């Protein structure tokens, strides 16, 4: 029954339907390719964002360490443990430069 209908199609109709099927196949392949590419880009973005978060954590830890190392109480403890005296006039505070922020 289907073969009779196919035989009844003219060459133009067969070419038309074949082009529609071909276009649908090409579009399906393009959609799959684009979805795969999109997933790959999203995965790359996730990796980069995690690296940014790690670097931000390292930066915050370094800032915290600078703050802890520069406390007067800690410096006084270090000085007394080394049998030294603390001279507050000689103390300097480390501050981040404005170009890094």
């Amino acid at each position: 029954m289907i073969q009779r209908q196919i035989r009844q199609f003219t060459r133009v109709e067969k070419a038309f339907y074949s082009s529609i099927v071909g276009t649908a196949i090409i579009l399906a392949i393009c959609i799959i390719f684009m979805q795969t590419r999109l997933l790959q880009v999203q995965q790359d973005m996730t990796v980069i964002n995690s690296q940014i978060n790690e670097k931000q954590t390292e930066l915050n830890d370094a800032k915290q360490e600078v703050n802890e190392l520069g406390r007067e109480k800690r410096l006084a403890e270090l000085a007394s443990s080394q049998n030294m005296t603390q001279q507050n006039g000689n103390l300097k505070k480390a501050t981040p430069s404005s170009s890094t922020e």
Side-chain angles (χ1 to χ4, degrees):
M1 179 177 199
I2 295 176
Q3 289 180 350
R4 278 191 226 152
Q5 288 179 345
I6 291 175
R7 288 183 187 162
Q8 291 175 356
F9 290 145
T10 64
R11 287 182 186 172
V12 174
E13 289 175 329
K14 288 180 184 178
F16 176 71
Y17 292 129
S18 296
S19 67
I20 289 175
V21 170
T23 303
I25 290 172
I26 290 171
L27 282 174
I29 291 171
C30 289
I31 288 171
I32 291 171
F33 172 76
M34 293 305 289
Q35 285 178 341
T36 304
R37 182 72 180 133
L38 178 64
L39 288 173
Q40 183 180 8
V41 168
Q42 286 176 340
Q43 182 180 8
D44 292 344
M45 279 181 48
T46 303
V47 168
I48 290 171
N49 282 336
S50 68
Q51 290 173 347
I52 288 171
N53 288 337
E54 288 175 14
K55 294 298 180 184
Q56 187 66 39
T57 303
E58 287 178 20
L59 177 63
N60 290 339
D61 290 346
K63 285 181 180 179
Q64 180 66 30
E65 190 172 342
V66 165
N67 287 336
E68 289 176 6
L69 290 175
R71 288 189 181 157
E72 289 184 36
K73 182 179 177 183
R74 183 176 186 283
L75 293 174
E77 290 173 0
L78 282 173
S80 65
S81 70
Q82 301 289 323
N83 295 328
M84 297 180 188
T85 59
Q86 180 179 353
Q87 296 177 350
N88 289 333
N90 291 339
L91 296 179
K92 302 277 183 186
K93 182 172 177 138
T95 58
S97 64
S98 60
S99 64
T100 60
E101 289 186 17

